[in-house]
Amino acid sequence: MKSDIVLAGVGGQGILTIATILGAAALKDNLYLKQAEVHGMSQRGGDVQSNLRLSSNPIHSDLIPLGGADLIVSLEPMEALRYLPYLSKEGWIVTNSVPFINIDNYPEMEKVEKELRSRERVIMFDMEALAKEVATQRSSNLVLLGAASPFIEIAPEVIVDSIQQIFASKGEKIVQANVAAFQAGRVRATENM
């Protein structure tokens, strides 16, 4: 098993939480993992990107080479577009369809969406709307994780167990909301494949 994942978004969206959950799930599955992050987390709206490499064999580098990512997971469509050069020919893109417009020269959304949808393997929908429907808008990152989970070789119940572990200190209501968001995202992605 080998999975190279680019996680992307902007500060405050919960991209690093996704990396933490997947890292915990990988350890539960006795997988090797390496992670490298670039983020402006303290300045809300700054670019956040993480290379997450999971494997059943030792991993020597924490960086994913150009054309080497199996999966781009993004809570922001322009950020998904930014990392397309890293996607392998067989790779999948899982992204939110709603932009987080934090710059004056944000490209026209129609162009961003057209470029993303020109790819063969794309799951793109409004993660925030689904999160609001099943939990809260703040769990849109868990909807995204759920939507990406069919493309990650870790059993969904292992990921759910990691969600429960990571959020346990926040109380059962938060845990259940995040699990519901994850499951809803997984169902939506499976329907759109």
Side-chain angles (χ1 to χ4, degrees):
M1 179 271 182
K2 179 193 85 59
S3 191
D4 288 338
I5 305 166
V6 173
L7 301 168
V10 296
Q13 288 188 306
I15 291 299
L16 299 180
T17 300
I18 292 173
T20 301
I21 292 166
L22 285 175
L27 291 175
K28 288 177 192 301
D29 255 6
N30 293 315
L31 296 173
Y32 293 93
L33 77 108
K34 294 264 184 177
Q35 181 182 355
E37 298 171 359
V38 176
H39 54 86
M41 191 165 51
S42 62
Q43 102 188 43
R44 187 163 177 80
D47 176 32
V48 176
Q49 182 265 339
S50 180
N51 281 215
L52 186 61
R53 306 188 79 193
L54 311 172
S55 178
S56 50
N57 297 312
I59 304 165
H60 301 292
S61 173
D62 54 357
L63 297 177
I64 299 170
L66 290 173
D70 301 301
L71 184 59
I72 293 175
V73 177
S74 181
L75 260 169
E76 209 294 319
M78 186 183 73
E79 293 301 324
L81 191 61
R82 179 191 312 258
Y83 294 102
L84 281 182
Y86 288 89
L87 190 65
S88 72
K89 289 184 175 149
E90 300 80 33
W92 280 86
I93 302 164
V94 180
T95 186
N96 190 6
S97 62
V98 178
F100 184 99
I101 300 176
N102 58 346
I103 55 174
D104 293 337
N105 60 345
Y106 194 97
E108 292 179 32
M109 191 51 210
E110 295 77 26
K111 290 181 181 178
V112 172
E113 187 168 343
K114 183 179 178 185
E115 179 64 29
L116 288 169
R117 293 205 185 273
S118 73
R119 301 301 171 132
E120 196 173 312
R121 296 176 174 95
V122 177
I123 301 290
M124 180 169 27
F125 62 90
D126 186 339
M127 309 274 171
E128 294 166 14
L130 185 55
K132 281 184 201 175
E133 186 181 312
V134 299
T136 69
Q137 183 176 343
R138 292 194 60 173
S139 11
S140 59
N141 62 331
L142 275 293
V143 169
L144 176 65
L145 177 57
S149 67
F151 312 105
I152 301 169
E153 294 182 54
I154 297 175
E157 52 274 7
V158 175
I159 298 173
V160 166
D161 186 51
S162 295
I163 292 168
Q164 292 168 333
Q165 174 191 346
I166 303 279
F167 289 100
S169 66
K170 305 260 184 200
E172 189 59 25
K173 186 176 179 183
I174 300 292
V175 168
Q176 291 311 312
N178 283 316
V179 169
F182 170 82
Q183 291 169 335
R186 184 172 174 82
V187 167
R188 178 71 60 90
T190 304
E191 292 170 351
N192 291 324
M193 287 170 54

